């Protein structure tokens, strides 16, 4: 018994000795945390309406239909522009659509995304656009990298993520052996919860190369990050979901040419045959290093821009020219260095490239293996273009431009609607 008591006493003395040798260390460091912002789904869905015209502020994609141009205001809606006179375009209304990024039109019905929903408007009178149908939860992860849209049943729709400076404080007992005891990081702990968040027929309009919506025959095609959504629009005012096809990862853009769809992703280009419009079939694909990847094409060649400086990462800034005469086996024939190319447009042998901060470039593409620079409009940051055969529509960081390119060696500025910061 004496031995047991002695051992207990000795152990206690050792513990007291160790405790006496320990010191409490306090540390803190600055960092940035990401805080999700949610909004009730019903509040977003009740936020669709037509408002008086307003100035361009944070522009996105463009779309043309008849004498009207539709300019996306990122995450907010669509500016409606009367372009009957390209030298004097007039903004006539603004369609408020929370979470909007893409547009397509058929027979006076405008289709748009609103975070996770697909909505349809009758724009017979564009100043009094009328919502005719909404299909909820079509795009569960949203369409656009600039728009979030994840739907949390308890919190609502994720509409934004903001960066927040914070200080993390922690303390521990240092007993001289390098092993922290009782680490406490409760002070300054970021209060953020990311659970579930993830990053033809009839009269139709024309979109740019950055579009995620396009129309062929009686079907609307929309791409999200990894799916091609097919929507039956035989009756445009009554769209119906038809099918969803997984087409890969990090899908970005969709471009139609005849009965083919060219789909750009961060890692390559996919070619789909839509001869049977309701049943797209993969024909071929081309892979490249990771980069943003819009594409335009004709019968023989596809032009693909790769760029850095975005969420796409990668380290390439170039134009790739692909021989697609064998659609099942696209072949790279030449690459051209660029500054930071984004959208592009093709009109027969004239190729237009929005080269980011390097401006708008115009090339003679009669020989794709030897492009010739025809004109260059520098000193503006450009995003996307739509050539119409008689005029060129271009959207940039500082405004919406229209050019006469009857002489592609000398673009003539017709008009500009400025962005107001």
């Amino acid at each position: 018994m004496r031995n047991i008591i002695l051992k207990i006493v000795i152990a206690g003395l050792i513990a007291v000795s160790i405790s006496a040798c320990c010191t409490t260390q306090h540390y803190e460091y600055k960092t940035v945390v990401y805080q999700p912002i949610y909004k009730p789904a019903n509040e977003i869905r009740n936020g669709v309406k037509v408002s008086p015209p307003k100035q361009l502020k944070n522009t996105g994609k463009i779309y043309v239909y008849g004498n009207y141009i539709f300019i996306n205001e990122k995450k907010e809606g669509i500016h409606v522009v009367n372009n009957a006179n390209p030298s004097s375009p007039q903004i006539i209304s603004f369609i408020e659509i929370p979470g909007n990024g893409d547009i397509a039109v058929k027979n006076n019905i405008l289709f748009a995304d609103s975070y996770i929903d697909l909505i349809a408007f009758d724009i017979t009178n564009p100043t009094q656009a009328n919502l005719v149908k909404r299909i909820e939860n079509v795009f569960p992860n949203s369409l656009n990298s600039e728009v979030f849209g994840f739907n949390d049943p308890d919190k609502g729709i994720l509409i934004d993520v903001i960066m927040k400076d914070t200080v993390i404080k922690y303390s521990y007992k240092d007993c001289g052996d390098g092993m922290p005891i009782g680490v406490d990081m409760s002070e300054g702990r970021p209060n953020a919860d990311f659970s579930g968040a993830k990053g033809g027929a009839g009269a139709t309009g024309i979109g740019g190369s950055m579009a995620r919506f396009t129309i062929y025959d009686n079907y609307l095609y929309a791409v999200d990050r990894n799916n091609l959504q097919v929507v039956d629009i035989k009756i445009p005012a009554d769209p119906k979901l038809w099918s969803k096809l997984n087409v890969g990862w990090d899908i970005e853009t969709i471009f139609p040419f005849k009965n083919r769809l060219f789909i750009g992703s961060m890692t390559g280009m996919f070619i789909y045959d839509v001869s049977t419009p309701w049943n797209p079939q993969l024909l071929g694909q081309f892979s490249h290093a990771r980069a943003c990847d819009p594409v335009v094409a004709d019968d023989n060649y596809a032009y693909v821009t790769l760029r850095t400086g975005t969420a796409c990462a990668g380290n390439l800034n170039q134009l790739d020219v692909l021989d697609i005469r064998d659609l099942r086996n696209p072949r790279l024939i030449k690459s051209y260095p660029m500054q930071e190319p984004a959208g592009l447009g093709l009109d027969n042998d004239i190729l237009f490239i929005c080269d980011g901060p390097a401006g708008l470039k115009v090339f003679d593409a009669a020989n794709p293996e030897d492009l010739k620079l025809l004109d260059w409009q520098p000193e503006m940051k450009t995003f996307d273009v739509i050539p119409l055969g008689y005029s060129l529509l271009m959207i940039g960081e500082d405004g919406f431009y229209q050019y006469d390119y009857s002489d592609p060696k000398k673009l003539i500025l017709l008009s500009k609607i400025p962005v107001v910061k």
Side-chain angles (χ1 to χ4, degrees):
M1 177 65 73
R2 287 182 178 180
N3 289 337
I4 294 174
I5 294 173
L6 180 61
K7 289 179 180 178
I8 293 173
V9 172
I10 292 172
L13 291 173
I14 292 173
V16 170
S17 176
I18 292 174
S19 175
C21 293
C22 293
T23 60
T24 301
Q25 303 291 333
H26 301 280
Y27 292 92
E28 65 179 50
Y29 65 93
K30 295 180 180 180
T31 188
V32 173
V33 296
Y34 295 87
Q35 181 176 346
I37 306 298
Y38 291 89
K39 194 172 185 177
N42 63 340
E43 186 176 335
I44 289 174
R45 287 166 177 154
N46 290 331
V48 174
K49 62 181 179 180
V50 179
S51 300
K54 67 179 187 177
Q55 295 176 318
L56 308 184
K57 290 186 178 180
N58 185 26
T59 55
K61 301 170 188 179
I62 51 177
Y63 193 90
V64 57
Y65 177 73
N67 286 329
Y68 295 97
I69 295 168
F70 302 91
I71 303 175
N72 163 245
E73 186 78 21
K74 293 179 182 178
K75 298 174 67 172
E76 294 186 20
I78 302 168
H79 299 276
V80 182
V81 180
N82 185 332
N83 198 45
N85 180 3
S87 297
S88 182
Q90 302 295 319
I91 303 176
I92 57 174
S93 65
F94 183 74
I95 307 174
E96 296 186 29
I97 308 174
N100 174 249
D102 275 88
I103 314 154
V105 181
K106 179 181 173 67
N107 291 350
N108 287 334
I109 300 297
L110 181 147
F111 304 96
D113 60 318
S114 177
Y115 288 114
I116 58 176
D117 296 348
L118 173 66
I119 55 181
F121 290 88
D122 185 335
I123 56 167
T124 303
N125 181 348
T127 62
Q128 298 178 16
N130 179 39
L131 179 65
V132 292
K133 188 168 182 178
R134 175 187 291 270
I135 307 178
E136 297 182 359
N137 303 313
V138 177
F139 313 113
N141 295 319
S142 181
L143 285 181
N144 303 284
S145 59
E146 296 106 345
V147 177
F148 292 91
F150 172 76
N151 189 14
D152 185 303
D154 298 320
K155 300 176 182 178
I157 294 178
L158 177 65
I159 64 169
D160 204 353
V161 174
I162 60 174
M163 293 188 298
K164 185 178 181 181
D165 293 328
T166 191
V167 176
I168 302 296
K169 298 179 181 180
Y170 65 97
S171 60
Y172 67 87
K173 289 184 178 180
D174 183 357
C175 297
D177 58 0
M179 297 297 292
I181 300 175
V183 175
D184 179 9
M185 294 183 64
S186 59
E187 293 185 70
R189 186 183 298 269
N191 182 22
D193 178 11
F194 275 92
S195 58
K198 301 178 181 179
T204 60
I206 303 171
S209 64
M210 305 296 287
R212 286 179 176 264
F213 273 16
T214 196
I215 293 173
Y216 174 72
D217 197 66
N218 288 314
Y219 292 85
L220 169 71
Y221 302 92
V223 289
D224 60 26
R225 291 184 177 92
N226 57 338
N227 296 303
L228 172 62
Q229 182 81 252
V230 184
V231 182
D232 182 336
I233 55 171
K234 292 186 186 71
I235 304 174
D238 187 24
K240 296 180 174 65
L241 299 184
W242 178 263
S243 65
K244 181 186 290 186
L245 178 66
N246 186 284
V247 292
W249 297 98
D250 295 325
I251 303 301
E252 295 184 282
T253 61
I254 185 169
F255 177 81
F257 181 74
K258 295 185 176 178
N259 60 348
R260 300 188 287 274
L261 300 178
F262 293 83
I263 296 175
S265 78
M266 292 186 189
T267 56
M269 177 194 72
F270 303 91
I271 305 173
Y272 277 80
D273 177 16
V274 286
S275 298
T276 305
W278 50 267
N279 186 27
Q281 296 293 312
L282 179 64
L283 288 176
Q285 65 185 80
F286 173 80
S287 299
H288 56 64
R290 186 176 180 85
C292 290
D293 175 13
V295 54
V296 296
D298 59 18
D299 285 313
N300 299 317
Y301 300 97
Y303 300 85
V304 181
T305 57
L306 311 180
R307 75 187 186 280
T308 60
T310 68
C312 307
N315 59 2
L316 296 176
N317 285 293
Q318 66 189 43
L319 169 72
D320 282 352
V321 184
L322 309 179
D323 185 331
I324 57 169
R325 284 173 287 192
D326 180 357
L327 291 169
R328 299 184 184 279
N329 185 32
R331 181 174 59 89
L332 177 66
I333 60 171
K334 191 161 184 178
S335 295
Y336 296 87
M338 294 284 161
Q339 179 72 29
E340 195 175 291
L344 65 172
L346 186 64
D347 181 1
N348 293 314
D349 291 335
I350 307 301
L351 177 66
F352 303 90
I353 298 179
C354 289
D355 198 8
L360 174 64
K361 297 176 179 178
V362 186
F363 291 92
D364 180 347
N367 180 0
E369 295 188 61
D370 186 22
L371 297 182
K372 304 291 188 184
L373 183 64
L374 298 175
D375 196 7
W376 179 24
Q377 302 290 318
E379 300 178 358
M380 56 182 169
K381 190 170 184 179
T382 57
F383 178 65
D384 203 8
V385 290
I386 301 177
L388 299 176
Y390 52 90
S391 65
L392 180 74
L393 313 182
M394 193 276 288
I395 192 75
E397 187 175 69
D398 69 338
F400 169 72
Y401 294 75
Q402 293 190 76
Y403 293 94
D404 178 340
Y405 66 95
S406 52
D407 179 359
K409 294 181 181 180
K410 188 178 180 180
L411 301 189
I412 299 173
L413 180 64
L414 297 174
S415 60
K416 175 186 176 181
I417 302 176
V419 163
V420 178
K421 296 296 185 180

